């Protein structure tokens, strides 16, 4: 998972590298009192209140490449295109210049979330220098003094607030073995976590043993997230998979999870740490109200669901089979497009169909759509059907995966129905299928 990127832009000599150093905390960039001296793009990982991001100093640059070679300009443009947040730095002590205006013009067209920062506000009085920059139409300027560190904390608070949510937290999603060793290289994608849930006696243990028993080798027992939970890491031809909270499924003499209440608690705990849930239902009993309650809770957690209609071989009558499927559609309507597999965990019939379904669901869950494509889909959707009343999404990006989470930067509050429309457009354009996707809306001060 890559870090969110914060890019500092501005005409030469406004204090970009000073600010860069201030945020990073060491002197890495060379600061010289001469325009355009710091030309190299510098990138360093920065941290503020537990949020990590990549800070990029674009050096001395002007749009149009007036006094710098094109290569530098292109590099800066590329950096800004990839930015999650742009810090547009101006020099409050000098006041608004034409160069600031042309940078602003370029940034406005880009529609990225831009934080206008007036530097060299070394004292209270100098803070007032900022008002003139309101004319740039990029919202209220934030005054800082990069040199003295004045209000740098406020600036960073604001930066962190604008970062795509969840982007930083994903870094620590690496399983750790009992002795604290990382089981996977941090650069690897953590293996997907699968929870098998369902009320007692539907066939969870039978299914689990069937899944891990055959050609696959169990690699590790891992301490789960709670004390009596055991996760099982299984090597499959599709790569490793972790089955979450398998304590009750591994042993013959099982811990007593026959109480329905307890099985619910256990299921909810398991899905909490899972990327996908296999909801096992005993087809011979139809869809009980407890199946329904459990499904509702799993669905509400945002965990994608695969419905496993188990003991299917016991229902021989074709009409009865259709009845069960109709009941499923009616009572579990909210799981929508979730795949439904008719299986017999006991005989193994139909279980093989799970693998491609699982693989696809997991792929979608981890998928990242390029910002360019997100914006294309959103702008097409807006063209087909505008929100009306001048409400607009100015810019959009996928801020996080697991599940795919999209951030929409809007000029004003979007109507709820319109949000659903945009969600549908994204889902259809990128074929997310049953994978849950989330939309976050950010209002851009204009
Ligand atoms: P850059 O070209 O945008 O990277 O600008 P620099 O970081 O090289 O800064 C240009 C000049 O402005 C240097 O002389 C800095 O010492 C000075 N400078 C930077 N930040 C501040 C500040 O907050 N207050 C004052 N008074 N000077 C600053
Ligand atoms: P759990 O409580 O959900 O873990 O359920 P178990 O895996 O212990 O299964 C409960 C009972 O259902 C056991 O007697 C299993 O043999 C039986 N069972 C599980 N899957 C199937 C199946 O596909 N067909 C039939 N006929 N019985 C099954």
């Amino acid at each position: 998972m890559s870090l969110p990127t914060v890019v500092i832009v501005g005409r030469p000599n406004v204090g970009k590298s000073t600010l860069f150093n201030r945020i990073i905390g060491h002197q890495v960039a060379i600061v010289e009192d001469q325009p355009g001296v710091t030309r190299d793009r510098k990138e360093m990982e920065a941290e503020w209140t537990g949020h990590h991001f990549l800070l990029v100093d674009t050096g001395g640059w002007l749009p149009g490449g007036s006094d710098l070679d094109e290569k530098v300009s292109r590099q800066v443009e590329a950096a800004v295109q990839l930015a999650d947040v742009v810090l547009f730095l101006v020099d409050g002590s000098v006041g608004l210049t034409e160069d600031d205006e042309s940078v602003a013009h370029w940034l406005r067209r880009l529609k990225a979330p831009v934080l206008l920062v007036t530097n060299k506000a070394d004292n209270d009085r100098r803070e007032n220098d900022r008002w003139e920059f309101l004319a740039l139409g990029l919202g209220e300027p934030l005054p800082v003094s990069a040199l003295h560190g004045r209000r740098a904390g406020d600036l960073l608070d604001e930066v962190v607030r604008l970062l795509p949510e969840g982007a930083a937290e994903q870094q620590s999603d690496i399983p750790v073995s009992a002795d604290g060793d990382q089981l996977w290289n941090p650069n690897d994608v953590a293996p997907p976590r699968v929870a098998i849930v369902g009320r007692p006696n539907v066939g969870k243990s039978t299914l689990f043993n069937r899944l891990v028993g055959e050609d696959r080798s169990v690699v590790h027992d891992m301490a789960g997230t709670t004390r009596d939970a055991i996760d099982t890491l299984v090597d499959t031809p599709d790569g490793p998979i972790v089955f979450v909270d398998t304590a009750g499924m591994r042993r013959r003499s099982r811990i007593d999870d026959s109480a329905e209440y307890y099985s619910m608690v256990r299921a909810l705990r398991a899905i909490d740490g899972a990327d996908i849930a296999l909801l096992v239902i005993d087809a011979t009993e139809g869809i009980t109200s407890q199946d329904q309650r459990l499904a509702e809770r799993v669905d509400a957690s945002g965990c994608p669901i695969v419905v496993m209609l188990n003991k299917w071989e016991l229902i021989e009558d074709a009409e009865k089979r259709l009845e069960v499927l109709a009941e499923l559609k009616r009572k579990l309507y909210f799981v929508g497009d979730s795949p439904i597999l008719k299986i017999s965990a006991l005989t193994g019939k139909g279980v093989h169909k799970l693998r491609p379904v699982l693989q696809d669901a997991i792929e979608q869950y981890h998928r990242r759509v390029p910002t360019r494509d997100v914006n294309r889909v959103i702008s097409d959707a807006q063209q087909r059907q505008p929100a009306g009343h001048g409400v607009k999404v100015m810019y959009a990006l996928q801020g996080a995966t697991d599940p795919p989470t999209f951030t929409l930067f809007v000029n004003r509050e979007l109507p709820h129905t319109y949000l659903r429309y945009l969600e549908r457009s994204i889902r259809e354009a990128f074929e997310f299928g049953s994978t849950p996707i989330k939309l976050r809306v950010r209002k851009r001060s204009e």
Side-chain angles (χ1 to χ4, degrees):
M1 247 32 87
S2 63
L3 287 173
T5 306
V6 177
V7 175
I8 308 174
V9 293
R11 62 177 182 80
N13 230 26
V14 293
K16 292 185 298 300
S17 47
T18 310
L19 181 66
F20 182 84
N21 292 341
R22 168 62 57 187
I23 295 174
I24 297 298
H26 340 268
Q27 295 287 314
V28 283
I30 310 146
V31 180
E32 280 185 46
D33 209 352
Q34 186 189 330
V37 165
T38 49
R39 288 190 181 190
D40 296 331
R41 201 171 126 189
K42 294 187 185 59
E43 308 185 342
M44 291 281 282
E45 188 179 331
E47 185 262 352
W48 182 249
T49 57
H51 298 260
H52 294 257
F53 55 90
L54 192 69
L55 185 67
V56 180
D57 174 14
T58 55
W61 159 78
L62 291 173
S66 50
D67 63 352
L68 286 163
D69 58 84
E70 259 189 44
K71 197 166 136 248
V72 177
S73 296
R74 272 209 308 277
Q75 226 181 44
V76 174
E77 289 192 19
V80 175
Q81 299 283 0
L82 292 172
D84 292 297
V85 177
V86 175
L87 296 185
F88 174 27
L89 205 60
V90 293
D91 185 338
S93 68
V94 168
L96 187 56
T97 70
E98 261 176 41
D99 286 341
D100 293 330
E101 275 170 356
S102 54
V103 178
H105 181 70
W106 187 73
L107 290 176
R108 269 200 306 271
R109 247 185 338 176
L110 195 80
K111 292 172 183 168
V114 177
L115 207 54
L116 176 61
V117 182
T118 48
N119 190 30
K120 311 197 185 177
D122 297 345
N123 53 48
D124 278 348
R125 194 171 40 78
R126 294 243 79 129
E127 278 197 13
N128 289 323
D129 294 338
R130 70 191 161 125
W131 297 117
E132 154 181 26
F133 293 92
L134 272 177
L136 291 175
L138 287 166
E140 191 175 313
L142 224 137
V144 300
S145 169
L147 197 60
H148 305 294
R150 209 165 168 275
R151 298 194 62 170
D154 294 343
L155 171 63
L156 286 166
D157 282 347
E158 196 57 23
V159 167
V160 163
R161 201 180 63 78
L162 286 171
L163 288 179
E165 247 162 276
E169 287 89 331
Q170 284 173 10
Q171 291 290 307
S172 59
D173 205 6
I174 298 153
V176 174
S177 72
D179 50 10
D181 283 349
Q182 284 178 351
L183 291 173
W184 284 274
N185 187 308
N187 295 323
D188 287 351
V189 181
R193 299 169 60 82
V194 178
I196 303 176
V197 299
R199 53 187 188 81
N201 283 318
V202 292
K204 295 185 295 297
S205 314
T206 311
L207 176 63
F208 170 72
N209 286 308
R210 166 86 37 207
L211 288 172
V212 303
E214 290 171 340
D215 52 318
R216 303 155 193 214
S217 55
V218 176
V219 180
H220 280 286
D221 283 350
M222 300 151 64
T225 39
T226 52
R227 220 173 321 150
D228 62 337
I230 295 178
D231 295 345
T232 308
L233 173 62
V234 181
D235 228 354
T236 77
D238 305 325
I241 291 183
V242 174
F243 287 96
V244 184
D245 191 14
T246 48
M249 302 174 201
R250 301 289 314 270
R251 292 174 224 124
R252 263 294 116 228
S253 61
R254 304 216 307 262
I255 52 167
D256 181 21
D257 61 353
S258 57
E260 298 219 326
Y261 171 74
Y262 187 66
S263 82
M264 171 77 101
V265 170
R266 184 150 211 134
L268 293 179
R269 204 175 57 195
I271 57 165
D272 210 32
D275 296 323
I276 188 161
L278 309 186
L279 177 68
V280 186
I281 288 172
D282 183 340
T284 62
E285 298 194 16
I287 316 301
T288 70
S289 58
Q290 213 216 344
D291 291 329
Q292 217 175 350
R293 267 202 307 280
L294 190 55
E296 264 160 10
R297 298 292 293 271
V298 179
D299 183 54
S301 77
C303 193
I305 298 174
V306 179
V307 177
M308 309 293 281
L309 270 179
N310 193 29
K311 310 195 187 177
W312 195 248
E313 92 286 357
L314 290 181
I315 312 177
E316 284 165 12
D317 184 42
E319 211 162 297
K320 178 85 177 99
R321 288 185 165 192
L322 287 176
E323 235 168 73
V324 175
L325 288 173
E327 192 187 4
L328 178 76
K329 281 268 174 252
R330 196 169 65 246
K331 290 191 173 165
L332 300 188
Y333 63 90
F334 48 85
V335 303
D337 305 325
S338 294
I340 296 164
L341 300 185
K342 293 155 264 183
I343 63 159
S344 169
L346 196 64
T347 68
K349 196 152 189 286
V351 174
H352 68 279
K353 283 182 285 186
L354 179 61
R355 191 192 289 176
V357 168
L358 212 53
Q359 201 186 2
D360 183 54
I362 287 161
E363 242 162 55
Q364 298 298 339
Y365 201 60
H366 293 311
R367 180 152 152 226
R368 192 179 278 282
V369 179
T371 302
R372 174 177 74 246
D373 297 345
V374 180
N375 281 291
R376 180 178 43 77
V377 166
I378 292 291
S379 98
D380 285 356
Q382 293 192 106
Q383 237 158 47
R384 270 199 313 276
Q385 188 181 321
H389 306 291
V391 186
K392 256 185 79 179
V393 179
M394 342 267 291
Y395 186 72
L397 54 86
Q398 185 184 346
T401 63
D402 312 11
T405 304
F406 296 87
T407 307
L408 310 178
F409 295 90
V410 300
N411 60 350
R412 258 178 284 148
E413 208 78 44
L414 287 176
H416 193 71
T417 47
Y418 198 71
L419 263 182
R420 295 298 293 259
Y421 163 68
L422 292 181
E423 184 193 329
R424 229 175 22 249
S425 305
I426 292 175
R427 180 182 294 288
E428 278 165 18
F430 302 116
E431 299 180 338
F432 274 113
S434 67
T435 304
I437 63 175
K438 283 196 211 155
L439 294 191
R440 296 187 197 290
V441 180
R442 290 264 160 77
K443 210 151 57 179
R444 251 191 78 196
S445 43
E446 204 67 40

